[in-house]
Amino acid sequence: MDKQARIRSIIRQVSKKQVEVAPDESLFDSGLLDSFALPDVVSAIEREFGVSIPDTDLNPRKFDSIERIEAYLETR
Amino acid sequence: MAFIQSFGAALPPRIVTNQELAEMVGKTPEWIRNVSGIEERRWAHDGASVIDLAADAALNALARAGRKASEIGILLVSSGTWERQFPGPAAQVAARLGLEEVPALDIPVASAGGLFALVTGSELTRSYGPALVVASELMSRVARRALGESGTSVLFGDGAGACVLDPERGVARVVGHRLASDGTFAGDLALGFEQPLSMNGRSVILQASRKIPRVIRQVLERWSLRPADMAAFLMHQANQNLIDRIADALEVDRGLFFSNIRHYGNTSSASLLIAASEWADQGGFEKGQRVCMAAFGAGFHWGAALLEGC
């Protein structure tokens, strides 16, 4: 499974919704995630990709879309 | 070592319900309750001041401790809604209480201020004797600057909390604590003079959801304790959904987290001590039982403290 598909799977699990979003579409503005779901997304990303995300990287904009999450993971 | 002798609180009598506020902000009462757990909050009258509420809470805590203000060796006052750049409110609260030549220290760190003041006071009792800690906020003044423009304005209320600390005796011992600060995202929760509150809710929730459970575990692990060993958790009352999230992260029953946010909203630095005061009224400390306090707020500043009933 490619990285975007793995991120998409995480979003589905956390949101408990099967709604499809475009890779560049905001996960929040689309209504898929709310503020309280974001910590769960970050924790799930850490587990799925085996990374530890420092608090200083926890800018919500980095996790606003599938493309942005993928771009952040490319820097790790 | 320091001991807690009593908590106290002061709340304005005027109750502002979600129904009343919803009409002002263009939301429904149910929306407010769902996003925050808040059903009502207190708003002080226009002539009230941070000093008034602080003095009332302080006198309440002193009475519960059976102590006179003249016995206090140091005063610490936390407020993020004081109207003047300097001097802060501490010296005036001291004057109102009749304290003479007692150091009066301001702790202007917003929502974590109650905890920061309590922990700092617990360390200073060894040098100065009994400490009086007060946190007093008029958050309605802030909320009313942006009514109808910001969903955050429904979250806040007014109130003050207090605590008397003693170096030798009390109802609970301050066993240990850890305070921390990180200015990386300082702009994500900030209040300028006469400005509306600036809050990036996603950032605040994300940071708080990570930092609060971590600091609680750090304090408890130092004493070889687990979250499940706590008899109660007393938290800054920011949002019921956040409090529940912290309980889930620590894998403890949500009912262990005392909550009164539905009645008072978020009273910033005052909320922890108001909650502690109400919790104490409902039974409070029992000998040998451990209680964990925690708070998180603008800065970001956060921390936790471990208490044990005597």
Side-chain angles (χ1 to χ4, degrees):
Chain A
M1 199 167 11
D2 68 17
K3 205 171 275 184
Q4 283 202 7
R6 292 162 72 189
I7 296 167
R8 195 179 293 278
S9 174
I10 288 170
I11 303 300
R12 282 201 196 103
Q13 287 171 32
V14 172
S15 69
K16 298 182 175 65
K17 294 173 184 170
Q18 296 301 314
V19 179
E20 289 296 326
V21 289
D24 62 346
E25 190 176 355
S26 168
L27 299 169
F28 300 101
D29 295 343
S30 66
L32 202 53
L33 296 179
D34 63 19
S35 299
F36 285 97
L38 182 55
D40 292 334
V41 169
V42 172
S43 296
I45 288 169
E46 287 181 313
R47 286 193 301 271
E48 172 68 21
F49 293 96
V51 295
S52 176
I53 300 174
D55 285 3
T56 48
D57 279 357
L58 293 179
N59 182 333
R61 282 182 296 183
K62 292 180 177 175
F63 304 93
D64 187 44
S65 69
I66 291 169
E67 271 188 355
R68 286 187 177 185
I69 294 171
E70 182 182 31
Y72 172 71
L73 287 170
E74 293 296 334
T75 69
R76 300 303 312 273
Chain B
M1 186 180 296
F3 294 85
I4 289 171
Q5 291 206 315
S6 68
F7 295 107
L11 292 149
R14 186 188 166 200
I15 296 171
V16 178
T17 64
N18 282 356
Q19 186 71 43
E20 181 180 347
L21 202 54
E23 293 167 10
M24 296 184 199
V25 302
K27 305 283 187 183
T28 66
E30 293 74 24
W31 180 87
I32 297 172
R33 191 177 62 244
N34 289 340
V35 299
S36 66
I38 298 165
E39 295 175 8
E40 58 190 33
R41 71 285 293 147
R42 304 293 181 94
W43 280 11
H45 63 80
D46 288 345
S49 77
V50 162
I51 306 292
D52 298 328
L53 282 173
D56 287 348
L59 291 171
N60 184 242
L62 286 167
R64 291 175 184 209
R67 303 196 77 140
K68 299 172 186 167
S70 58
E71 297 172 45
I72 294 301
I74 185 167
L75 172 70
L76 301 96
V77 177
S78 170
S79 182
T81 49
W82 175 239
E83 63 263 28
R84 195 164 57 207
Q85 194 148 358
F86 68 84
Q92 280 180 262
V93 174
R96 182 75 70 86
L97 296 171
L99 301 178
E100 295 181 1
E101 298 191 8
V102 165
L105 184 62
D106 288 296
I107 312 266
V109 296
S111 294
L115 180 70
F116 271 57
L118 189 152
V119 166
T120 305
S122 75
E123 292 294 328
L124 292 174
T125 55
R126 280 173 285 191
S127 301
Y128 289 91
L132 177 57
V133 174
V134 188
S136 179
E137 303 284 4
L138 288 174
M139 291 300 293
S140 67
R141 305 271 165 86
V142 179
R144 285 187 287 179
R145 288 175 196 157
L147 277 181
E149 299 168 24
S150 166
T152 61
S153 59
V154 303
L155 301 176
F156 301 106
D158 301 335
C163 176
V164 176
L165 295 158
D166 187 272
E168 295 177 354
R169 58 195 165 86
V171 295
R173 182 169 64 98
V174 181
V175 177
H177 51 74
R178 183 182 177 94
L179 301 178
S181 303
D182 177 2
T184 305
F185 300 103
D188 284 349
L189 183 54
L191 179 64
F193 284 111
E194 301 302 321
Q195 299 293 311
L197 182 73
S198 172
M199 181 161 82
N200 179 340
R202 284 174 201 155
S203 177
V204 173
I205 291 165
L206 184 53
Q207 293 286 337
S209 296
R210 307 262 291 194
K211 288 178 162 68
I212 298 173
R214 188 165 66 222
V215 75
I216 288 174
R217 289 188 188 281
Q218 286 168 341
V219 170
L220 300 190
E221 284 170 6
R222 185 176 167 202
W223 301 94
S224 302
L225 294 168
R226 300 163 301 148
D229 295 324
M230 297 299 106
F233 290 85
L234 303 173
M235 288 261 306
H236 161 49
Q237 306 284 298
N239 185 308
Q240 187 61 51
N241 296 326
L242 179 61
I243 293 171
D244 291 344
R245 167 168 288 281
I246 303 302
D248 294 348
L250 294 173
E251 298 179 307
V252 296
D253 191 296
R254 291 180 177 184
L256 283 181
F257 280 67
F258 181 82
S259 174
N260 60 4
I261 193 168
R262 67 183 179 279
H263 294 307
Y264 307 126
N266 179 343
T267 56
S268 190
S269 74
S271 79
L272 175 67
L273 298 179
I274 294 171
S277 182
E278 286 206 351
W279 172 80
D281 284 347
Q282 295 174 19
F285 295 102
E286 291 183 18
K287 186 175 174 61
Q289 281 193 338
R290 288 146 181 147
V291 173
C292 184
M293 285 184 153
F296 175 93
F300 296 119
H301 300 292
W302 70 98
L306 174 63
L307 314 174
E308 184 177 70
C310 297

mmCIF file of all heavy atoms in Angstrom, chain A residues 28 35-36 38-40 42 46 53 55-56 58 60, chain B residues 185 202-203 205-207 209-211 214 241-242 245:
data_model
loop_
_atom_site.group_PDB
_atom_site.id
_atom_site.type_symbol
_atom_site.label_atom_id
_atom_site.label_comp_id
_atom_site.label_asym_id
_atom_site.label_seq_id
_atom_site.Cartn_x
_atom_site.Cartn_y
_atom_site.Cartn_z
ATOM 1 N N PHE A 28 -10.328 19.031 7.712
ATOM 2 C CA PHE A 28 -11.174 19.732 8.691
ATOM 3 C C PHE A 28 -12.310 20.462 7.991
ATOM 4 O O PHE A 28 -13.476 20.346 8.358
ATOM 5 C CB PHE A 28 -10.338 20.704 9.518
ATOM 6 C CG PHE A 28 -9.240 20.017 10.275
ATOM 7 C CD1 PHE A 28 -7.940 20.042 9.808
ATOM 8 C CD2 PHE A 28 -9.515 19.313 11.435
ATOM 9 C CE1 PHE A 28 -6.927 19.392 10.494
ATOM 10 C CE2 PHE A 28 -8.517 18.659 12.133
ATOM 11 C CZ PHE A 28 -7.220 18.694 11.661
ATOM 12 N N SER A 35 -11.392 19.025 15.777
ATOM 13 C CA SER A 35 -10.169 19.312 16.534
ATOM 14 C C SER A 35 -9.783 18.160 17.445
ATOM 15 O O SER A 35 -8.601 17.882 17.640
ATOM 16 C CB SER A 35 -10.374 20.574 17.373
ATOM 17 O OG SER A 35 -10.647 21.678 16.542
ATOM 18 N N PHE A 36 -10.778 17.492 18.014
ATOM 19 C CA PHE A 36 -10.481 16.433 18.972
ATOM 20 C C PHE A 36 -10.037 15.136 18.301
ATOM 21 O O PHE A 36 -9.528 14.245 18.965
ATOM 22 C CB PHE A 36 -11.685 16.195 19.885
ATOM 23 C CG PHE A 36 -11.836 17.272 20.923
ATOM 24 C CD1 PHE A 36 -12.704 18.328 20.720
ATOM 25 C CD2 PHE A 36 -11.079 17.247 22.083
ATOM 26 C CE1 PHE A 36 -12.821 19.340 21.653
ATOM 27 C CE2 PHE A 36 -11.187 18.251 23.019
ATOM 28 C CZ PHE A 36 -12.060 19.303 22.815
ATOM 29 N N LEU A 38 -7.833 15.194 15.775
ATOM 30 C CA LEU A 38 -6.470 15.405 15.286
ATOM 31 C C LEU A 38 -5.411 14.685 16.140
ATOM 32 O O LEU A 38 -4.502 14.052 15.575
ATOM 33 C CB LEU A 38 -6.182 16.907 15.194
ATOM 34 C CG LEU A 38 -4.813 17.314 14.659
ATOM 35 C CD1 LEU A 38 -4.546 16.684 13.298
ATOM 36 C CD2 LEU A 38 -4.713 18.831 14.583
ATOM 37 N N PRO A 39 -5.483 14.738 17.485
ATOM 38 C CA PRO A 39 -4.478 13.996 18.269
ATOM 39 C C PRO A 39 -4.496 12.505 17.964
ATOM 40 O O PRO A 39 -3.438 11.858 17.964
ATOM 41 C CB PRO A 39 -4.898 14.264 19.725
ATOM 42 C CG PRO A 39 -5.660 15.547 19.673
ATOM 43 C CD PRO A 39 -6.371 15.525 18.352
ATOM 44 N N ASP A 40 -5.679 11.953 17.677
ATOM 45 C CA ASP A 40 -5.762 10.526 17.344
ATOM 46 C C ASP A 40 -5.101 10.245 15.997
ATOM 47 O O ASP A 40 -4.457 9.207 15.808
ATOM 48 C CB ASP A 40 -7.228 10.070 17.303
ATOM 49 C CG ASP A 40 -7.867 10.086 18.676
ATOM 50 O OD1 ASP A 40 -7.124 9.963 19.681
ATOM 51 O OD2 ASP A 40 -9.102 10.231 18.752
ATOM 52 N N VAL A 42 -2.614 11.957 14.675
ATOM 53 C CA VAL A 42 -1.156 12.050 14.867
ATOM 54 C C VAL A 42 -0.621 10.780 15.525
ATOM 55 O O VAL A 42 0.405 10.228 15.100
ATOM 56 C CB VAL A 42 -0.814 13.298 15.708
ATOM 57 C CG1 VAL A 42 0.670 13.306 16.072
ATOM 58 C CG2 VAL A 42 -1.170 14.570 14.944
ATOM 59 N N GLU A 46 2.027 8.009 13.918
ATOM 60 C CA GLU A 46 3.259 7.572 14.589
ATOM 61 C C GLU A 46 3.351 6.044 14.599
ATOM 62 O O GLU A 46 4.407 5.469 14.350
ATOM 63 C CB GLU A 46 3.293 8.125 16.017
ATOM 64 C CG GLU A 46 3.572 9.620 16.084
ATOM 65 C CD GLU A 46 3.616 10.141 17.514
ATOM 66 O OE1 GLU A 46 2.709 9.808 18.284
ATOM 67 O OE2 GLU A 46 4.565 10.875 17.839
ATOM 68 N N ILE A 53 6.751 11.866 16.510
ATOM 69 C CA ILE A 53 6.583 13.258 16.076
ATOM 70 C C ILE A 53 6.767 14.182 17.284
ATOM 71 O O ILE A 53 5.990 14.096 18.245
ATOM 72 C CB ILE A 53 5.190 13.467 15.436
ATOM 73 C CG1 ILE A 53 5.045 12.539 14.214
ATOM 74 C CG2 ILE A 53 4.982 14.929 15.050
ATOM 75 C CD1 ILE A 53 3.658 12.564 13.590
ATOM 76 N N ASP A 55 6.680 17.464 19.713
ATOM 77 C CA ASP A 55 5.634 18.474 19.919
ATOM 78 C C ASP A 55 5.861 19.714 19.052
ATOM 79 O O ASP A 55 4.915 20.363 18.621
ATOM 80 C CB ASP A 55 5.590 18.891 21.398
ATOM 81 C CG ASP A 55 4.949 17.820 22.269
ATOM 82 O OD1 ASP A 55 4.591 16.751 21.737
ATOM 83 O OD2 ASP A 55 4.828 18.048 23.484
ATOM 84 N N THR A 56 7.130 20.045 18.812
ATOM 85 C CA THR A 56 7.420 21.257 18.029
ATOM 86 C C THR A 56 6.989 21.114 16.571
ATOM 87 O O THR A 56 6.892 22.104 15.850
ATOM 88 C CB THR A 56 8.924 21.593 18.091
ATOM 89 O OG1 THR A 56 9.670 20.401 17.808
ATOM 90 C CG2 THR A 56 9.305 22.134 19.459
ATOM 91 N N LEU A 58 4.072 19.780 15.812
ATOM 92 C CA LEU A 58 2.613 19.601 15.836
ATOM 93 C C LEU A 58 1.866 20.875 15.450
ATOM 94 O O LEU A 58 1.048 21.395 16.196
ATOM 95 C CB LEU A 58 2.163 19.105 17.210
ATOM 96 C CG LEU A 58 2.642 17.699 17.571
ATOM 97 C CD1 LEU A 58 2.162 17.312 18.964
ATOM 98 C CD2 LEU A 58 2.165 16.680 16.552
ATOM 99 N N PRO A 60 -1.002 22.142 13.301
ATOM 100 C CA PRO A 60 -2.148 21.482 12.649
ATOM 101 C C PRO A 60 -2.138 21.589 11.134
ATOM 102 O O PRO A 60 -2.663 20.714 10.442
ATOM 103 C CB PRO A 60 -3.354 22.212 13.257
ATOM 104 C CG PRO A 60 -2.880 22.688 14.578
ATOM 105 C CD PRO A 60 -1.434 23.056 14.373
ATOM 106 N N PHE B 185 4.610 27.793 20.171
ATOM 107 C CA PHE B 185 3.298 28.142 19.601
ATOM 108 C C PHE B 185 2.607 29.219 20.445
ATOM 109 O O PHE B 185 1.384 29.183 20.638
ATOM 110 C CB PHE B 185 2.420 26.890 19.497
ATOM 111 C CG PHE B 185 3.005 25.817 18.623
ATOM 112 C CD1 PHE B 185 3.603 24.691 19.171
ATOM 113 C CD2 PHE B 185 2.982 25.937 17.244
ATOM 114 C CE1 PHE B 185 4.150 23.701 18.373
ATOM 115 C CE2 PHE B 185 3.536 24.956 16.430
ATOM 116 C CZ PHE B 185 4.120 23.835 16.992
ATOM 117 N N ARG B 202 -7.350 24.036 17.268
ATOM 118 C CA ARG B 202 -6.746 22.752 16.873
ATOM 119 C C ARG B 202 -5.369 22.589 17.497
ATOM 120 O O ARG B 202 -5.012 21.514 17.984
ATOM 121 C CB ARG B 202 -6.632 22.672 15.352
ATOM 122 C CG ARG B 202 -7.929 22.390 14.668
ATOM 123 C CD ARG B 202 -7.791 22.474 13.150
ATOM 124 N NE ARG B 202 -9.103 22.688 12.560
ATOM 125 C CZ ARG B 202 -9.308 23.260 11.393
ATOM 126 N NH1 ARG B 202 -8.279 23.678 10.664
ATOM 127 N NH2 ARG B 202 -10.524 23.412 10.929
ATOM 128 N N SER B 203 -4.595 23.657 17.474
ATOM 129 C CA SER B 203 -3.244 23.597 18.037
ATOM 130 C C SER B 203 -3.298 23.394 19.547
ATOM 131 O O SER B 203 -2.549 22.583 20.102
ATOM 132 C CB SER B 203 -2.491 24.895 17.704
ATOM 133 O OG SER B 203 -1.211 24.891 18.288
ATOM 134 N N ILE B 205 -5.700 22.069 21.401
ATOM 135 C CA ILE B 205 -6.165 20.718 21.748
ATOM 136 C C ILE B 205 -5.096 19.676 21.451
ATOM 137 O O ILE B 205 -4.863 18.754 22.232
ATOM 138 C CB ILE B 205 -7.478 20.413 21.003
ATOM 139 C CG1 ILE B 205 -8.606 21.285 21.560
ATOM 140 C CG2 ILE B 205 -7.846 18.930 21.109
ATOM 141 C CD1 ILE B 205 -9.841 21.351 20.693
ATOM 142 N N LEU B 206 -4.423 19.849 20.311
ATOM 143 C CA LEU B 206 -3.374 18.897 19.939
ATOM 144 C C LEU B 206 -2.245 18.892 20.972
ATOM 145 O O LEU B 206 -1.796 17.836 21.426
ATOM 146 C CB LEU B 206 -2.840 19.252 18.545
ATOM 147 C CG LEU B 206 -1.808 18.333 17.914
ATOM 148 C CD1 LEU B 206 -2.281 16.892 17.886
ATOM 149 C CD2 LEU B 206 -1.470 18.813 16.504
ATOM 150 N N GLN B 207 -1.795 20.086 21.344
ATOM 151 C CA GLN B 207 -0.692 20.178 22.311
ATOM 152 C C GLN B 207 -1.131 19.694 23.691
ATOM 153 O O GLN B 207 -0.403 18.956 24.366
ATOM 154 C CB GLN B 207 -0.188 21.623 22.387
ATOM 155 C CG GLN B 207 0.477 22.127 21.124
ATOM 156 C CD GLN B 207 1.867 21.541 20.901
ATOM 157 O OE1 GLN B 207 2.522 21.100 21.836
ATOM 158 N NE2 GLN B 207 2.321 21.534 19.652
ATOM 159 N N SER B 209 -3.525 17.647 24.478
ATOM 160 C CA SER B 209 -3.806 16.209 24.479
ATOM 161 C C SER B 209 -2.531 15.380 24.617
ATOM 162 O O SER B 209 -2.576 14.240 25.090
ATOM 163 C CB SER B 209 -4.516 15.801 23.181
ATOM 164 O OG SER B 209 -5.773 16.424 23.092
ATOM 165 N N ARG B 210 -1.415 15.942 24.173
ATOM 166 C CA ARG B 210 -0.135 15.234 24.282
ATOM 167 C C ARG B 210 0.589 15.561 25.592
ATOM 168 O O ARG B 210 1.139 14.685 26.246
ATOM 169 C CB ARG B 210 0.768 15.631 23.111
ATOM 170 C CG ARG B 210 0.140 15.457 21.755
ATOM 171 C CD ARG B 210 0.536 14.209 21.088
ATOM 172 N NE ARG B 210 1.932 14.238 20.701
ATOM 173 C CZ ARG B 210 2.453 13.360 19.853
ATOM 174 N NH1 ARG B 210 1.697 12.424 19.323
ATOM 175 N NH2 ARG B 210 3.723 13.405 19.525
ATOM 176 N N LYS B 211 0.586 16.858 25.934
ATOM 177 C CA LYS B 211 1.431 17.290 27.050
ATOM 178 C C LYS B 211 0.842 16.933 28.414
ATOM 179 O O LYS B 211 1.584 16.605 29.345
ATOM 180 C CB LYS B 211 1.657 18.807 26.969
ATOM 181 C CG LYS B 211 2.584 19.237 25.831
ATOM 182 C CD LYS B 211 2.730 20.746 25.784
ATOM 183 C CE LYS B 211 3.957 21.195 24.990
ATOM 184 N NZ LYS B 211 3.901 20.948 23.580
ATOM 185 N N ARG B 214 1.310 13.253 29.373
ATOM 186 C CA ARG B 214 2.753 12.983 29.525
ATOM 187 C C ARG B 214 3.286 13.526 30.846
ATOM 188 O O ARG B 214 4.003 12.837 31.564
ATOM 189 C CB ARG B 214 3.508 13.603 28.346
ATOM 190 C CG ARG B 214 4.979 13.205 28.320
ATOM 191 C CD ARG B 214 5.598 13.519 26.971
ATOM 192 N NE ARG B 214 5.644 14.943 26.724
ATOM 193 C CZ ARG B 214 5.356 15.519 25.550
ATOM 194 N NH1 ARG B 214 4.997 14.805 24.534
ATOM 195 N NH2 ARG B 214 5.434 16.818 25.405
ATOM 196 N N ASN B 241 -14.682 17.817 26.791
ATOM 197 C CA ASN B 241 -14.183 16.844 25.812
ATOM 198 C C ASN B 241 -12.685 16.612 25.989
ATOM 199 O O ASN B 241 -12.192 15.494 25.803
ATOM 200 C CB ASN B 241 -14.478 17.326 24.381
ATOM 201 C CG ASN B 241 -15.973 17.416 24.119
ATOM 202 O OD1 ASN B 241 -16.740 16.618 24.634
ATOM 203 N ND2 ASN B 241 -16.391 18.402 23.335
ATOM 204 N N LEU B 242 -11.955 17.669 26.356
ATOM 205 C CA LEU B 242 -10.517 17.522 26.596
ATOM 206 C C LEU B 242 -10.268 16.733 27.877
ATOM 207 O O LEU B 242 -9.392 15.851 27.917
ATOM 208 C CB LEU B 242 -9.855 18.905 26.683
ATOM 209 C CG LEU B 242 -8.354 18.898 26.967
ATOM 210 C CD1 LEU B 242 -7.578 18.166 25.878
ATOM 211 C CD2 LEU B 242 -7.825 20.317 27.117
ATOM 212 N N ARG B 245 -10.749 13.200 27.167
ATOM 213 C CA ARG B 245 -9.651 12.693 26.340
ATOM 214 C C ARG B 245 -8.431 12.376 27.194
ATOM 215 O O ARG B 245 -7.741 11.370 26.972
ATOM 216 C CB ARG B 245 -9.308 13.744 25.272
ATOM 217 C CG ARG B 245 -8.016 13.532 24.541
ATOM 218 C CD ARG B 245 -7.917 14.428 23.343
ATOM 219 N NE ARG B 245 -8.837 13.971 22.315
ATOM 220 C CZ ARG B 245 -8.594 12.943 21.510
ATOM 221 N NH1 ARG B 245 -7.463 12.285 21.603
ATOM 222 N NH2 ARG B 245 -9.465 12.588 20.597
#
